[in-house]
């Protein structure tokens, strides 16, 4: 099956060094080592410091492991919301986060725009008692994104609220303004180019303090409360037996990306995205689902296909180019293309050539 | 680092076929496939049916994926307990399950015996309003176990309560009486010989019905409520992006174990355990922490070492035999030895020879 390139929006193409790291992990008995031993603790420490270096995360923020981005939605609500959360909704994943909050018994407020449109954060009008504003930085379902620079508006407008960010399909390729965010979660099978089954949760001191307040009033969970996560993180461990193999691979990939440098990672992401959007503007069969240029995702690009997406997906597949179908109701209308650090400029040249051939 | 044999109680030695399956998974791009695609759905279906065959699970029980046994503790309480759970406590993991229930805001009752002793289920006297009786079938912290045949007592004594079983470090090597249990969870890095980062939750129709009742009264979580798990399981999918690679490996190992046959797996477990306990009875330096023979775990054996465990752990390590230290307060007093399907009779002969040399 070699020769295939996965442009699916996650799980996706592995970062180029991962297969070799995985083979080395097998030889080094990584799947058998103890999650309470020194070797694991060094890995945890290295991941936390590697991630802080790569993403510019302040030293006093906490780095916790979760098992999925979906778990991130739950844990951030449980730990940071006593009564009410507010949600900026512009696709299926932002909607899902709001649904999680409702399921957890919280009141919610929402500012919703139709799928394909991009909300302006200055148009939100949440109540003063909203404890957490939930922002999906990159909306994988529509190929939309909210510029992280705009998060400053939320701090100004809602000084008493925490800002929670779903960066599942953009971190670390899209930089975040850490002064303006409190809880950020993302999973490793997107921009980090790893096998699925591990996610990261970054928590500000302010959000941690809030979780302590909420915990005085109600249950905030059991083994994955912020307090339990911190208790174990202080020992460079996790409350449960985690996906040790994924933690090992993450450590290696963070080292590789830090050698490459975050500017190179971000720059390549921007260049490849521009190349694809320039192509989309040059013909008529394929058009970006999101029209507003500043709201077009750089990392997960949704493309409306004239005549339906299935024949295009099949034709690309025959060329070894695996792209995703549309999300939900757009399954047969869109293709979705990931632009992750694992994807080289050559991969994008090849994909664009193939799309060009299909566009005439 | 080859040549080492891990007798640690999990993560532990990989089942003999796993390294090859892992190499094949890399070649077949398993880390890149979609968790919403046909290939994953076939894997889920195969795991569910393979597990039902291997463990004799009734057809109408649900098979769900979680990310750890610790998550199993949380989800079973959240979904099955409105107000009160009851706990049989005889070590750190049974205690932890009770602590999880308290953290989740439930009232708890307990029947506790000192570590190293084995509770008799007929001695329990829980109230009629206890909704779930929580039993840790195999207590990894002490090397103790409760005979599954005794679960029938609970059904008789508490006909209105569900029976929840932590089988983390015994399933599938110790058979369970499915007529007498409702929720069973276990993780893959123990008796299934896989890398950590995935767990299974088996739910009876009665427990599922109870979760629907509880959900009418209170929040039972968000993405991992029994209802959400079932909604996706009906599509052979999971609510979140799961550890796809582990699901792949699990499918392969279940097939391998079904070829071997459950009788062979159980028989080998019993033979290796008997061999080790017979050796322990033959000398004085090493003694089983659990004295009562019928309460001695077959799969995780805790051994008190005269003079302390560290020199023994180090000496065995020099021979390539990795055993675990004691749990918690017993860290420097005990060694713990896993007897999982991954461990051959030859592995046990080698370990026992080495222990014998150290016992004189």
């Amino acid at each position: 099956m070699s020769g295939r390139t996965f442009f699916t929006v996650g799980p996706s193409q592995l970062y180029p060094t991962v297969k070799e790291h995985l083979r080395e992990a097998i030889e080094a008995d990584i799947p058998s080592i103890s999650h309470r031993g020194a070797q694991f603790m060094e890995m945890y420490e290295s991941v936390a410091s590697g991630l802080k270096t790569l993403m510019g995360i302040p030293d006093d923020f906490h780095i916790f492991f979760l098992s999925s981005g979906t778990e991130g939605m739950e844990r951030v609500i449980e730990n940071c919301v006593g009564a009410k959360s507010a949600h900026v909704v512009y696709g299926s994943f932002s909607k899902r986060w709001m649904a999680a909050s409702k399921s957890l018994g919280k009141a919610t407020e929402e500012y919703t725009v139709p799928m394909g449109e991009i909300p302006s954060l200055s148009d939100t009008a949440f109540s003063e008692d909203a404890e957490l504003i939930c922002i999906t930085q990159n909306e994988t379902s529509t190929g939309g994104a909210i510029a992280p620079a705009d998060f400053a508006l939320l701090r100004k407008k809602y000084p008493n609220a925490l800002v929670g960010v779903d960066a599942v399909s953009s971190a670390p390729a899209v930089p975040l303004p850490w002064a303006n965010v409190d809880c950020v979660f993302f999973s490793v099978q997107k921009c980090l180019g790893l096998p699925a089954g591990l996610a990261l949760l970054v928590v500000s001191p302010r959000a941690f303090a809030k979780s302590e307040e909420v915990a005085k009033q109600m249950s905030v969970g059991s083994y994955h409360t912020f307090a339990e996560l911190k208790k174990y993180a202080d020992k460079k461990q996790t409350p449960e037996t985690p996906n040790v193999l994924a933690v090992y691979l993450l450590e290696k990939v963070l080292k590789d990306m830090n050698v490459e440098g975050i500017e190179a990672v971000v720059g390549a992401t921007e260049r490849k995205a521009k190349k694809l959007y320039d192509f989309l503007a040059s013909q008529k069969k394929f058009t970006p689902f999101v029209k507003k240029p500043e709201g077009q995702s750089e990392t997960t690009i949704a493309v409306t296909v004239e005549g339906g997406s299935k024949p295009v997906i099949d034709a690309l597949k025959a060329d070894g180019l695996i792209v995703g179908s549309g999300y939900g109701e757009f399954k047969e209308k869109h293709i979705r293309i990931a632009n992750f650090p694992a994807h080289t400029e050559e991969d994008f040249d090849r994909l664009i050539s193939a799309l060009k051939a299909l566009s005439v």
Side-chain angles (χ1 to χ4, degrees), chain A:
Chain A
M1 307 292 246
S2 62
R4 290 191 293 180
T5 305
F6 288 81
F7 292 93
T8 35
V9 295
S12 187
Q13 187 70 9
L14 293 179
Y15 191 74
T17 56
V18 169
K19 288 189 179 185
E20 192 50 34
H21 291 316
L22 198 42
R23 287 188 194 100
E24 286 166 5
I26 299 173
E27 293 311 309
D29 294 324
I30 299 301
S32 298
I33 68 166
S34 169
H35 58 295
R36 302 286 176 225
Q39 195 177 356
F40 180 81
M41 289 155 71
E42 284 160 25
M43 278 160 45
Y44 193 132
E45 175 65 33
S46 174
V47 165
S49 68
L51 204 65
K52 285 182 173 179
T53 301
L54 187 70
M55 297 181 67
I57 301 168
D59 255 355
D60 58 353
F61 278 46
H62 306 281
I63 310 282
F64 300 140
F65 289 111
L66 300 177
S67 56
S68 66
T70 310
E71 187 187 5
M73 296 182 184
E74 176 170 286
R75 300 308 178 187
V76 170
I77 298 289
E78 274 185 330
N79 282 276
C80 295
V81 180
K84 191 196 276 182
S85 59
H87 298 262
V88 175
V89 177
Y90 63 119
S92 303
F93 290 95
S94 36
K95 199 169 171 183
R96 190 178 194 191
W97 199 358
M98 184 169 66
S101 188
K102 286 181 202 281
S103 288
L104 293 164
K106 315 298 179 187
T108 59
E109 292 186 5
E110 62 185 288
Y111 174 66
T112 297
V113 301
M115 288 182 86
E117 294 184 20
I118 305 298
S120 170
L121 297 184
S122 57
D123 291 343
T124 60
F126 298 128
S127 310
E128 264 194 33
D129 61 352
E131 295 151 84
L132 173 77
I133 319 276
C134 296
I135 303 289
T136 304
Q137 192 276 316
N138 190 81
E139 185 42 272
T140 316
S141 65
T142 66
I146 294 174
D150 293 350
F151 297 168
L153 285 169
L154 297 174
R155 273 281 193 262
K156 208 174 273 180
K157 206 163 172 177
Y158 311 103
N160 298 322
L162 297 174
V163 175
V165 177
D166 172 348
V168 163
S169 50
S170 59
V174 175
L176 291 169
W178 294 99
N180 297 323
V181 300
D182 295 296
C183 294
V184 178
F185 57 86
F186 50 97
S187 40
V188 301
Q189 78 278 12
K190 309 278 186 175
C191 289
L192 288 159
L194 290 170
L198 185 71
L200 290 143
L201 172 63
V202 184
V203 172
S204 74
R206 188 178 160 196
F208 190 82
K210 167 77 179 179
S211 78
E212 292 179 306
E213 289 309 307
V214 178
K216 284 177 193 160
Q217 300 155 36
M218 64 192 70
S219 169
V220 297
S222 66
Y223 71 113
H224 272 182
T225 62
F226 285 4
E228 280 293 297
L229 287 164
K230 178 175 183 302
K231 185 176 116 186
Y232 282 89
D234 286 347
K235 298 186 283 186
K236 308 300 165 200
Q237 295 180 19
T238 53
E240 80 287 13
T241 310
N243 186 340
V244 177
L245 184 56
V247 174
Y248 171 92
L249 296 174
L250 176 59
E251 188 209 348
K252 299 293 180 195
V253 164
L254 287 172
K255 279 188 176 158
D256 296 336
M257 286 193 179
N258 272 318
V259 167
E260 196 180 340
I262 189 65
E263 296 78 10
V265 171
V266 171
T269 303
E270 291 169 354
R271 270 198 310 281
K272 289 178 292 168
K274 182 173 186 315
K275 202 176 260 191
L276 182 58
Y277 282 113
D278 283 350
F279 161 73
L280 296 177
S282 75
Q283 47 69 61
K284 297 200 160 162
K285 185 179 173 76
F286 303 108
T287 48
F289 179 51
V290 172
K291 303 295 172 213
K292 194 174 158 186
E294 62 273 30
Q296 290 172 339
S297 168
E298 288 178 347
T299 52
T300 61
I301 296 139
V303 178
T304 308
V305 181
E306 198 183 77
S309 57
K310 195 170 181 309
V312 168
I313 291 170
D314 291 344
L316 291 172
K317 191 175 174 183
D319 276 349
L321 302 166
I322 315 297
V323 302
S325 57
Y327 192 88
E329 64 183 293
F330 302 107
K331 186 175 171 61
E332 296 187 356
K333 291 178 180 149
H334 296 174
I335 56 173
R336 286 182 301 158
I337 297 167
N339 170 24
F340 294 156
H343 300 111
T344 64
E345 306 223 17
E346 293 68 33
D347 290 334
F348 263 70
D349 290 341
R350 225 176 116 220
L351 177 66
I352 291 170
S353 291
L355 288 170
K356 194 176 254 172
L358 292 168
S359 71
V360 288

